[in-house]
Amino acid sequence: MPICKVDGEEVEFEPGMNVLQVCELAGKEIPRFCYHERLSIAGNCRMCLVEVKPGPPKPQASCALPAAENMEIFTDTPMVTKARHGVMEFLLINHPLDCPICDQGGECDLQDQAMGYGRDDSRYTENKRAVEEKYMGPVIKTVMTRCIQCTRCVRFITEVAGVPEIGLISRGEDVEITTYLDRAVSSELSGNAVDLCPVGALTHKPWAFNYRPWELKKTESVDVHDALGASIRVDARGSAVLRVLPRTNEDINEEWISDKTRYAVDGLSRQRLDRPYIREGGRLRQASWSEALDLVAARLKAAKPERIGVIAGDLQDAESMKAAIDLFRGLGVASLDCRQDGMALGEGPRASWLFNSTIAGIEAADVALLIGTNPRLEAPVLNARFRKRWLAGGLRVGLIGEPADLTYPYDHLGAGPKTLGGLSRQRNEFVQAFKAAKAPAIILGAGALTRADSAAVVKAAAALAKAVGATWNVLHTAAARVGGLDLGFTPQAGGKTARELASRGGADVLFLLGADEIDLTASKAFTVYLGTHGDRGAHRADVILPGAAYTEKNGIYVNTEGRAQFGVRAVFPKGEAREDWAILRALSERVGQRLPYDTLDDLRRKLFADHPTFGRIDYVEGRAAAAAMDLGALGAPGELSDEPFASPVKAFHLTNPIARASVTMAECAALAAGPARMAAE
C-alpha cells in the first residue's frame, strides 16, 4: 500500500483515500462541517484545511484532495491554524447569537469547533442576514438563519434517501437551502438529515424545547418497529423516554434509522395500560392484580386445552414468548401462534424464514428479485442499502407486485403469482441477467406469504431460486416473528392457527400476548390481553394485564436475518404494569403449572438451553445455511392465483400500537395520505 507522512509520521493508506481520511488513520482530528464519510464530497465549508507538500504554498481542503504516495501532510502549522480561524470567523458572520434557546446546544459541531478555532470578537460589523423559515414537514424544524450551507441535508436526501426534495437556490450571500415547491420532505428517513446538520438550522420538531442533552440518561438498545433490529440509543429523563437516536452498526443500519423508529417515542406515554382491568356489564373497571389473575386462572382451568388459544404479537421479546410456551404447553394447549397475519412459513429448516444474504451482505448482490414486498415501507433502512448498491453501479432489481417508488429503478415484471410461475421461461433482459448473475438474490415479503396460495408461491419461488442459484431471503415486517418461529411458537398437531383461533367458535379462551393486528370481530371467546396500549386487542379484551413496552424491559429480539440482540431497559414500566414474563410466571402459580424460573437470568438460562440460537448474540449464519437448505422441500404444490401481490404495510407510520398512539406519527400519516386522499376526492 502507498505511504505518506502526516506531521512527520509515516502512514499506510488504501488507494483512493483522501487526505482527511489519511489524517484520521494517523490519529489526527481534522475539523469539518460539510464532509461526511457516507455522503459525496462537497468541499463547501473549507474548515478541514491542511498544508501539503509537494503543493502550492497555501492551505488545501483535505476532504477534496486525494492522498498520494510520498505526500507530506501538516495539520497543525501556523498557516493552517490561522486559516481555520479565518474560516470560522467567516462562518459566524451571519450566525445568530441564539445558542441559549437552540435545541442543538450541547451537541453542536459549530459550538465545539468555535471553542478551538473561534475568536472572542468579530471584525465584521455589517448587519447579519436573516433567512425565512422553510416548511419541511411535521418532524423537521428549521431556523435557516443558522445555516452555514454545508449541504449535508441536501446530499443525504438526494443520495441516501433518494427523494431529491431539498436543494440550494440563489447565489452568493443570497444562497438558501429550501424544499422544492414548499412541500414537506416525504422520505421515511428524513430525521437523519437533522442528525447530520452540524448547526441548529435543522432540529427535531417533535422534541423542540423539551430537554437539554446533558439531562438525559442514555441507554443502548435495539429497535422493534420493523424486523431489521436497528441499533438505537434511548434517551430518557426520569420516567419518560424523550428521544431515540441511531447507533452506528455497519452490519444492520449503518448510522440511519427510520422516522417511525425515531419519532414514535411520544406513543410510549400515551394511551398506556398502567393497571389491570376486568370487563363487567360491557364496561372495563379497574381491578387488582390478584383479582385479575384469579379470574384468568379460573377461566383457563374451566376450559378444555383444545379450546384455549394463544396469539403472540409483533413486538414481543423472546423471553415472554418462551414463558408463554412453557406455561400453555404445560397445560396441554396446542394452539399457539406468533403469525397474526397468517404467514405460510414456520416449518422446515431455520434458513427458510431468514434473510440469508444478510442486511450488509445484500450489497454483494448483483441481481435481486423482490416478490410481494415494498422495502421502502417495510424496511426503509434496508431499502437505503438497495439504493446504495444501485448507486455503486452493480445492482439490477426486478419486482413482482405493486408498482411503487422505491427510490431506484427496477424492472416491473408483473403483479401476481402467475408471473412468478412462468418467469424462468421468459426471455426478457431481466430474466437473462438473473440467470447470468454471479450473486443473485430472491426476496419474499409478507405480501407473498400471507395469502391463500402462499404455499404454492413459496414452492414456485424456491424452484426459481434453485434454478438460478439465488440466495433465499424472507423480509419480515414484525420484530418478534423470527424469534417466535425459532421458538416454535406455532400450532402443534391438532392445534389451530391465529386466524382460526380468531374466527367464530375458534376458541373459548383466547390469550393475546400483545397481539393487536388480528381481526377479532367474529370471535366470541373470553379474551385476555397482556399488552401495553389501549389498542385493538385491549378494546376486545375481557381482562387486561398491563405489560412493559420495549423501552421498559430487558429482552432478546431476533431480526429478519436471524441475529439475536439484547434490548435494554431505559425506564421502568408505567404504573402497576409489569414485565410480560413476570406476569406469566405469576399466572402459572394460580393455574398449578409453576414455571421453573424466578428471575430473568433463570429464564434466559432455560431459553439458551432449549434453543441455543438465542445464546449466540449478534451472530448470523448467512448464506452458508441457505446453501445447505433443500429448496425443493419448501412450500407445497398448488394453483397460483391471479390476485396481485400487495404489501401489508399500507400506512407506514401506523403499523403497531406504539406508533398508533403517537401524535407525531398521526401527523406524518395524514401528510402521507394527503395526496392520495386529494386524488380520490
Side-chain angles (χ1 to χ4, degrees):
M1 291 196 297
I3 298 175
C4 67
K5 287 186 177 181
V6 179
D7 292 338
E9 178 185 344
E10 289 191 348
V11 178
E12 285 188 339
F13 62 93
E14 296 181 7
M17 297 181 74
N18 59 39
V19 170
L20 188 151
Q21 292 171 318
V22 173
C23 291
E24 289 186 335
L25 285 178
K28 304 295 181 180
E29 183 177 350
I30 305 297
R32 85 291 296 270
F33 293 115
C34 69
Y35 175 78
H36 191 277
E37 57 271 13
R38 301 190 196 277
L39 305 176
S40 61
I41 294 172
N44 291 341
C45 71
R46 320 305 289 181
M47 194 66 200
C48 62
L49 296 172
V50 296
E51 189 177 351
V52 175
K53 293 181 182 180
K58 64 176 183 179
Q60 299 191 62
S62 59
C63 68
L65 183 64
E69 178 79 39
N70 298 324
M71 178 183 283
E72 292 188 67
I73 305 167
F74 303 92
T75 66
D76 199 23
T77 64
M79 180 171 67
V80 168
T81 302
K82 182 179 179 181
R84 291 177 181 171
H85 278 79
V87 169
M88 179 60 68
E89 189 175 5
F90 274 117
L91 290 174
L92 294 176
I93 289 175
N94 288 310
H95 198 79
L97 300 176
D98 58 358
C99 293
I101 64 165
C102 178
D103 277 318
Q104 197 85 336
E107 298 175 317
C108 179
D109 292 348
L110 189 64
Q111 280 183 335
D112 296 341
Q113 299 300 340
M115 292 297 292
Y117 302 100
R119 296 166 57 98
D120 58 1
D121 63 350
S122 176
R123 293 173 288 177
Y124 298 93
T125 58
E126 292 80 3
N127 292 331
K128 291 177 179 287
R129 78 165 189 164
V131 181
E132 289 185 0
E133 308 312 338
K134 306 297 188 292
Y135 173 68
M136 293 190 181
V139 299
I140 302 178
K141 180 177 182 289
T142 65
V143 185
M144 300 312 292
T145 302
R146 302 171 185 161
C147 181
I148 62 172
Q149 290 84 45
C150 71
T151 70
R152 278 187 178 183
C153 57
V154 177
R155 285 175 284 149
F156 171 81
I157 290 295
T158 302
E159 297 168 9
V160 179
V163 184
E165 296 173 338
I166 300 179
L168 206 64
I169 62 172
S170 300
R171 299 183 67 183
E173 190 179 11
D174 297 325
V175 71
E176 296 181 19
I177 286 178
T178 183
T179 56
Y180 299 117
L181 305 178
D182 200 30
R183 294 183 59 182
V185 179
S186 62
S187 171
E188 296 78 16
L189 300 168
S190 61
N192 296 287
V194 180
D195 287 347
L196 292 173
C197 183
V199 296
L202 304 182
T203 56
H204 301 284
K205 186 179 289 187
W207 310 334
F209 309 124
N210 277 350
Y211 60 83
R212 284 298 190 183
W214 52 83
E215 299 177 311
L216 305 178
K217 183 186 73 172
K218 303 167 178 62
T219 305
E220 294 185 352
S221 188
V222 296
D223 174 47
V224 300
H225 288 279
D226 59 31
L228 292 194
S231 296
I232 59 173
R233 194 186 80 195
V234 180
D235 289 0
R237 182 178 60 201
S239 62
V241 174
L242 295 185
R243 68 178 185 180
V244 166
L245 297 176
R247 288 188 292 123
T248 300
N249 188 332
E250 299 295 343
D251 292 331
I252 302 176
N253 58 305
E254 298 182 291
E255 59 184 88
W256 320 124
I257 54 174
S258 73
D259 288 351
K260 182 166 53 180
T261 298
R262 185 188 301 269
Y263 295 116
V265 290
D266 61 320
L268 290 167
S269 59
R270 290 184 169 90
Q271 300 180 20
R272 286 301 301 272
L273 303 173
D274 59 357
R275 63 198 63 183
Y277 289 88
I278 292 175
R279 189 177 300 276
E280 289 182 352
R283 299 177 65 88
L284 290 170
R285 68 165 178 85
Q286 297 181 22
S288 67
W289 270 109
S290 294
E291 185 181 8
L293 290 174
D294 286 343
L295 176 57
V296 174
R299 287 286 188 159
L300 289 174
K301 289 178 179 178
K304 297 179 180 179
E306 60 269 20
R307 299 297 298 166
I308 299 174
V310 186
I311 304 175
D314 293 346
L315 306 183
Q316 291 304 120
D317 56 290
E319 291 88 344
S320 65
M321 290 188 285
K322 173 61 174 170
I325 288 173
D326 290 348
L327 171 59
F328 287 97
R329 293 226 171 117
L331 294 173
V333 176
S335 301
L336 291 87
D337 203 352
C338 65
R339 304 165 300 180
Q340 297 181 87
D341 54 9
M343 177 171 283
L345 297 176
E347 298 180 358
R350 183 174 187 250
S352 66
W353 58 74
L354 298 183
F355 197 91
N356 295 290
S357 289
T358 73
I359 296 168
I362 202 66
E363 294 185 29
D366 49 3
V367 179
L369 176 61
L370 307 178
I371 303 172
T373 181
N374 181 344
R376 181 174 174 183
L377 297 182
E378 297 170 22
V381 175
L382 176 64
N383 196 62
R385 290 267 194 181
F386 281 115
R387 177 173 171 79
K388 177 183 177 182
R389 176 65 173 133
W390 170 74
L391 285 174
L395 179 65
R396 184 164 187 168
V397 178
L399 173 66
I400 302 178
E402 296 174 301
D405 179 8
L406 298 181
T407 71
Y408 45 84
Y410 58 85
D411 296 279
H412 187 239
L413 306 173
K418 290 289 187 183
T419 302
L420 176 62
L423 189 64
S424 61
R425 297 187 297 273
Q426 296 182 19
R427 296 189 178 183
N428 57 52
E429 290 185 11
F430 177 82
V431 173
Q432 298 304 318
F434 199 36
K435 292 179 178 179
K438 296 180 179 178
I442 281 182
I443 300 159
L444 270 75
L449 298 171
T450 56
R451 304 157 48 97
D453 63 345
S454 288
V457 171
V458 171
K459 191 73 174 177
L464 179 61
K466 186 174 183 179
V468 301
T471 303
W472 178 264
N473 298 285
V474 175
L475 178 57
H476 295 280
T477 58
R481 185 60 49 80
V482 173
L485 296 178
D486 287 351
L487 285 167
F489 206 110
T490 51
Q492 290 185 309
K496 298 177 181 178
T497 65
R499 288 182 174 177
E500 291 170 340
L501 290 170
S503 64
R504 181 181 295 272
D508 292 338
V509 177
L510 189 57
F511 196 99
L512 304 180
L513 188 61
D516 291 279
E517 314 305 325
I518 190 165
D519 185 6
L520 296 172
T521 54
S523 175
K524 301 299 181 181
F526 180 86
T527 304
V528 181
Y529 178 74
L530 194 167
T532 59
H533 285 73
D535 204 76
R536 299 164 184 167
H539 291 169
R540 176 62 184 80
D542 296 293
V543 177
I544 293 176
L545 306 176
Y550 76 104
T551 55
E552 300 163 2
K553 59 185 175 183
N554 296 310
I556 295 174
Y557 300 90
V558 186
N559 74 352
T560 191
E561 60 182 349
R563 184 188 304 269
Q565 300 181 100
F566 283 123
V568 182
R569 182 176 62 200
V571 296
F572 287 95
K574 305 295 182 186
E576 297 179 25
R578 297 292 182 266
E579 294 182 23
D580 300 9
W581 75 267
I583 297 172
L584 293 167
R585 169 66 179 79
L587 178 61
S588 71
E589 292 271 13
R590 288 168 165 80
V591 295
Q593 189 66 36
R594 183 179 179 277
L595 295 176
Y597 30 78
D598 298 322
T599 66
L600 182 63
D601 288 340
D602 292 341
L603 170 53
R604 283 181 172 170
R605 276 191 285 271
K606 189 171 192 310
L607 173 65
F608 298 160
D610 294 347
H611 306 277
T613 56
F614 289 90
R616 293 182 288 181
I617 300 298
D618 207 34
Y619 171 79
V620 289
E621 296 183 48
R623 286 187 173 88
M629 178 174 58
D630 180 11
L631 290 170
L634 300 185
E639 184 176 352
L640 295 173
S641 166
D642 288 329
E643 182 184 356
F645 291 125
S647 172
V649 179
K650 303 301 181 185
F652 164 75
H653 303 93
L654 305 174
T655 57
N656 60 63
I658 298 173
R660 287 191 288 269
S662 166
V663 173
T664 304
M665 290 296 97
E667 293 174 353
C668 291
L671 181 68
R677 187 183 302 119
M678 291 173 60
E681 292 173 355

